[in-house]
């Protein structure tokens, strides 16, 4: 199976796990109103941010779930048990807070997994796919399990469920995922999830 197909399979598995964890199913009635603002949802005062989103009648907020890149990376070092969201290498603190505030104000979260850790692609940067797609699969599984709606946080309260997931925002855009194409036997072949 090619890397792009394995990536899509990993994402499908994570989505299926997240969807399967739902106690009820629901169908959208028309287009949802949403916003994307990591600066407000992850770095500023969540109380005022999510209150404002609620006042604006936002139904969904897209939040980058930084896998291994940047100051809010969940997995800055390789976890020993990557499918276990409680692995000590993982730090979900910022995301738990955002999901809790979103839930309290009635705003759904759409997590966009982004940023390959240096340990997963030999320091090639956050836009380069991991060398082993299973690393992404394992992280997506751990994230979906953490945000399944049944996990308890450090404070003993249930972490709200996240039902909407995507990886690399727009994986067909080289601003988010590389490589898009590779040359094999003199022909350009699609490499990413287009």
């Amino acid at each position: 199976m090619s890397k792009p197909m394995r990536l899509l399979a990993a994402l499908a598995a994570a989505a299926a796990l997240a969807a399967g964890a739902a106690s009820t199913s629901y169908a959208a009635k028309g287009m949802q109103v949403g916003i994307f603002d990591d600066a407000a949802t992850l770095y500023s005062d969540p109380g005022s941010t999510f209150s404002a989103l609620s006042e604006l009648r936002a139904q969904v907020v897209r939040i980058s779930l930084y896998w291994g890149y940047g100051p809010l990376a969940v997995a800055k070092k390789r976890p020993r048990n990557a499918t276990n969201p409680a692995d000590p290498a993982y730090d979900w603190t910022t995301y738990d807070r955002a999901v809790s505030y979103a839930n309290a104000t009635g705003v759904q979260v759409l997590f966009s997994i982004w940023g390959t850790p240096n340990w997963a692609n030999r320091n090639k940067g956050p836009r380069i796919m991991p060398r082993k797609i299973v690393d992404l699969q394992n992280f997506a599984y751990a994230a979906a399990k953490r945000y399944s709606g049944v996990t308890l946080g450090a404070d003993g309260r249930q972490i709200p469920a996240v039902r909407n997931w995507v990886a690399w925002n727009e994986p067909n855009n080289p601003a988010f995922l590389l490589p898009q194409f590779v040359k094999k036997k003199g022909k350009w072949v699609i490499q990413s999830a287009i």
Side-chain angles (χ1 to χ4, degrees):
M1 185 181 292
S2 69
K3 252 189 178 181
M5 294 307 292
R6 289 191 308 256
L7 174 63
L8 290 174
L11 297 177
L17 176 66
S23 59
T24 60
S25 63
Y26 59 93
K29 292 183 171 120
M31 184 169 55
Q32 292 186 311
V33 176
I35 192 167
F36 166 63
D37 191 345
D38 280 350
T41 57
L42 298 177
Y43 292 96
S44 65
D45 173 37
S48 60
T49 295
F50 285 97
S51 177
L53 291 175
S54 181
E55 287 176 32
L56 291 169
R57 296 186 182 152
Q59 296 164 297
V60 64
V61 61
R62 194 192 90 197
I63 299 174
S64 298
L65 180 60
Y66 294 96
W67 174 21
Y69 173 74
L72 298 180
V74 174
K76 290 180 184 173
K77 58 185 178 182
R78 181 182 290 278
R80 287 183 187 260
N81 184 357
T83 60
N84 180 359
D87 188 284
Y90 291 142
D91 181 2
W92 307 98
T93 307
T94 299
Y95 305 99
D96 288 356
R97 180 184 73 173
V99 168
S100 293
Y101 273 93
N103 185 65
T105 56
V107 178
Q108 295 177 49
V109 171
L110 182 154
F111 268 143
S112 179
I113 297 173
W114 191 86
T116 305
N118 286 331
W119 54 261
N121 68 7
R122 294 186 179 165
N123 299 309
K124 292 188 177 181
R127 294 186 303 156
I128 304 297
M129 290 177 59
R131 288 182 60 245
K132 297 177 183 172
I133 204 67
V134 72
D135 288 331
L136 175 59
Q137 285 176 302
N138 290 341
F139 178 73
Y141 182 89
K145 190 172 179 183
R146 175 131 189 127
Y147 298 105
S148 64
V150 298
T151 303
L152 299 180
D155 60 2
R157 289 187 285 176
Q158 188 175 14
I159 299 168
V162 173
R163 304 275 185 248
N164 305 300
W165 296 83
V166 68
W168 268 271
N169 182 38
E170 298 172 34
N172 62 329
N173 183 333
F176 299 105
L177 183 62
L178 291 173
Q180 292 293 312
F181 296 90
V182 293
K183 200 167 194 176
K184 290 185 179 177
K185 298 181 183 177
K187 292 184 178 182
W188 288 100
V189 179
I190 294 172
Q191 181 67 22
S192 70
I194 291 182

